[in-house]
Amino acid sequence: MFAGYSAGELTAIFAMQGFAGLILFSVFVLMALGLAIIFGQMGVINMAHGEFMILGAYVTYLVSNTFATHLPDLFSIYFFVAMALAFLASGALGMLVEWGLIRHLYRRPLDTLLATWGLSLILQQIYRSVFGAREVGVTVPNWMMGSLPLTDMIEVPINGLFVMALAVGISVAIYALMFRSRWGRQVRAINQNRVMAGAVGINTERTDRLTFGIGCGIAGVAGSAFTMIGSTGPTSGQLYIVDTFLVVVFGGAGSILGTIASAFTISQAQSVLEFFLSGSMAKVITLLVVVGILMLRPQGLFALKLRK
């Protein structure tokens, strides 16, 4: 298979494949962090998580067109504005959904699965009616285009580096929120014992609403980043929902570190297998291996220890 390639060429090929795995890892992290909060901390199976991500992508598409038409001189910074608006739009919709739907279904995970699956179908139809069935794309700012040469034979795309930096930044921010803030302590207290948390004065309803909103907002930011590496359509979110749940469950529900480790393991395994096999076979083999590990270790890579 590798006959005819020099050592330098093989090194370059494997390096590029490894970097492709890092980009996939960054996308997985961005998608899974919001779900890790919603599913891991709240026990809500949010099948509409992909649609919140796509809302962020469509917001980015609208902001891109607005800047291109009305503010061309500021087009180079539109993406930062788009990310902020994507977080706000997806987060606001998430808080509305939590108030109108999810708060009535706590401790009923199968009901949340069915309800959010129905919600995902509704959102898909709304996107189809508003934006059309065809996929849309955004124009990437000039400073994100091109690649950065590392050696004579290895180049890495700048937009991929930006996605990786964004994933690192959001991971650090989520860690600080969960383990260095008052809100994070409240979330973890409610997760361990909701009744006792309410008894000591924590407003559980407000904390739940904010938690769900932040998780959905992070999905919106993931959708904004997604526009740099793919086109956006009404059903694009469904292509990633299985991978996202797989990352969260394999890492250990509620574990931020587990989510990151799981995303890295799955993305690198899938990227390496795609070099030797087709993309679909690589995904199938990765899924089978993860399922086999979960059969031996159902709690995932990193399980949270809760007091009984």
Side-chain angles (χ1 to χ4, degrees):
M1 179 177 180
F2 300 111
Y5 289 99
S6 66
E9 290 173 333
L10 286 176
T11 301
I13 291 173
F14 281 111
M16 294 297 292
Q17 197 68 21
F19 187 79
L22 288 178
I23 296 177
L24 183 61
F25 156 70
S26 302
V27 174
F28 279 170
V29 167
L30 288 172
M31 292 190 302
L33 280 176
L35 192 63
I37 295 174
I38 294 173
F39 178 58
Q41 299 296 334
M42 303 179 68
V44 174
I45 303 176
N46 183 18
M47 294 300 294
H49 191 76
E51 279 60 48
F52 286 100
M53 182 186 82
I54 296 306
L55 174 59
Y58 275 125
V59 168
T60 304
Y61 167 72
L62 292 176
V63 173
S64 172
N65 289 345
T66 301
F67 270 72
T69 304
H70 302 289
L71 298 169
D73 293 338
L74 300 177
F75 188 79
S76 60
I77 64 169
Y78 90 85
F79 195 77
F80 299 100
V81 178
M83 283 194 299
L85 293 178
F87 177 84
L88 293 175
S90 296
L93 179 60
M95 294 178 72
L96 179 62
V97 168
E98 195 281 337
W99 175 80
L101 179 65
I102 301 300
R103 68 189 178 104
H104 305 290
L105 302 175
Y106 285 124
R107 301 189 182 279
R108 294 157 58 187
L110 293 181
D111 289 346
T112 63
L113 184 151
L114 292 174
T116 54
W117 179 66
L119 175 65
S120 72
L121 297 179
I122 294 172
L123 291 176
Q124 286 176 33
Q125 189 56 48
I126 292 175
Y127 298 154
R128 189 175 290 109
S129 300
V130 175
F131 298 100
R134 298 181 62 180
E135 294 186 343
V136 298
V138 303
T139 303
V140 179
N142 290 333
W143 61 272
M144 284 189 187
M145 300 177 67
S147 57
L148 184 67
L150 298 183
T151 67
D152 293 337
M153 302 180 65
I154 300 177
E155 294 183 349
V156 295
I158 295 176
N159 60 350
L161 290 172
F162 182 81
V163 172
M164 291 170 59
L166 183 62
V168 171
I170 290 181
S171 299
V172 172
I174 292 300
Y175 176 83
L177 276 174
M178 290 299 300
F179 299 102
R180 294 292 185 270
S181 71
R182 181 181 179 185
W183 170 78
R185 289 193 295 270
Q186 291 178 349
V187 171
R188 288 181 283 124
I190 293 172
N191 182 41
Q192 293 188 21
N193 193 321
R194 176 177 292 272
V195 176
M196 185 60 68
V200 298
I202 296 176
N203 188 331
T204 57
E205 291 187 0
R206 185 180 64 185
T207 303
D208 287 337
R209 193 159 304 133
L210 184 60
T211 302
F212 196 86
I214 289 177
C216 293
I218 295 171
V221 175
S224 188
F226 174 77
T227 60
M228 291 192 297
I229 58 176
S231 54
T232 302
T235 60
S236 297
Q238 291 299 308
L239 301 176
Y240 293 91
I241 189 65
V242 174
D243 289 331
T244 305
F245 269 105
L246 188 66
V247 166
V248 173
V249 173
F250 184 51
S255 172
I256 304 299
L257 178 61
T259 298
I260 296 173
S262 172
F264 181 81
T265 302
I266 292 174
S267 62
Q268 288 298 322
Q270 192 168 310
S271 180
V272 170
L273 288 173
E274 284 179 357
F275 184 76
F276 300 98
L277 306 170
S278 64
S280 58
M281 281 302 300
K283 183 165 287 190
V284 168
I285 293 175
T286 304
L287 177 62
L288 290 176
V289 172
V290 170
V291 170
I293 294 175
L294 287 175
M295 291 177 66
L296 300 175
R297 188 178 173 82
Q299 68 272 31
L301 296 177
F302 295 83
L304 294 180
K305 297 181 179 180
L306 302 179
R307 293 173 179 162
K308 302 295 185 180

